[in-house]
Amino acid sequence: MMGLIMTFVMILVFIACTVGITLSIKNKNILNKPSWGILISLVFQLLLFTLFFTEVLASFPKVIAHLLWWGAVLSGLIFGIRDFKNNLITSVLSILLSVSLAGLMFLMLAITSM
């Protein structure tokens, strides 16, 4: 089961990277500056990944951890979609991280509910 999930995630990463690179080469907007919102969102998402894998996030109260988690997912999606025409590479990365965070949360919820 875990191998199937990892295969799906790797296919999703490959498709997202291919689409992002193809569209950025086609539209020549690879060098545009990303907005501050998307940069802050990317840092916030990477911080949450780091806190999760170092198990620091487990010491937070459950409500605060969930608010931070879903806030990172929504902010990444919103800023990624909004800044898509300006800078494709950071937008695709932000959307991919948001989908990964959401998938990880749903996986954790499925495991803990068994």
Side-chain angles (χ1 to χ4, degrees), residues 60-95:
F60 287 6
K62 190 174 183 179
V63 174
I64 293 174
H66 281 264
L67 284 174
L68 288 174
W69 197 277
W70 291 114
V73 170
L74 288 176
S75 69
L77 284 175
I78 290 169
F79 284 115
I81 292 170
R82 195 182 84 192
D83 202 38
F84 195 75
K85 286 190 175 188
N86 186 29
N87 194 322
L88 285 173
I89 299 296
T90 56
S91 295
V92 167
L93 182 63
S94 177
I95 292 170

Side-chain angles (χ1 to χ4, degrees), residues 9-49:
V9 169
M10 294 307 276
I11 290 171
L12 183 69
V13 168
F14 178 73
I15 290 172
C17 292
T18 305
V19 167
I21 291 170
T22 304
L23 290 175
S24 67
I25 291 171
K26 184 179 176 183
N27 294 334
K28 302 281 192 241
N29 63 355
I30 196 168
L31 298 176
N32 291 343
K33 283 184 173 180
S35 67
W36 280 103
I38 200 161
L39 291 177
I40 291 170
S41 176
L42 283 172
V43 169
F44 186 43
Q45 289 172 341
L46 292 174
L47 178 69
L48 270 178
F49 267 119

Side-chain angles (χ1 to χ4, degrees), residues 91-106:
S91 295
V92 167
L93 182 63
S94 177
I95 292 170
L96 185 64
L97 283 174
S98 293
V99 169
S100 300
L101 279 169
L104 190 61
M105 178 57 86
F106 287 135

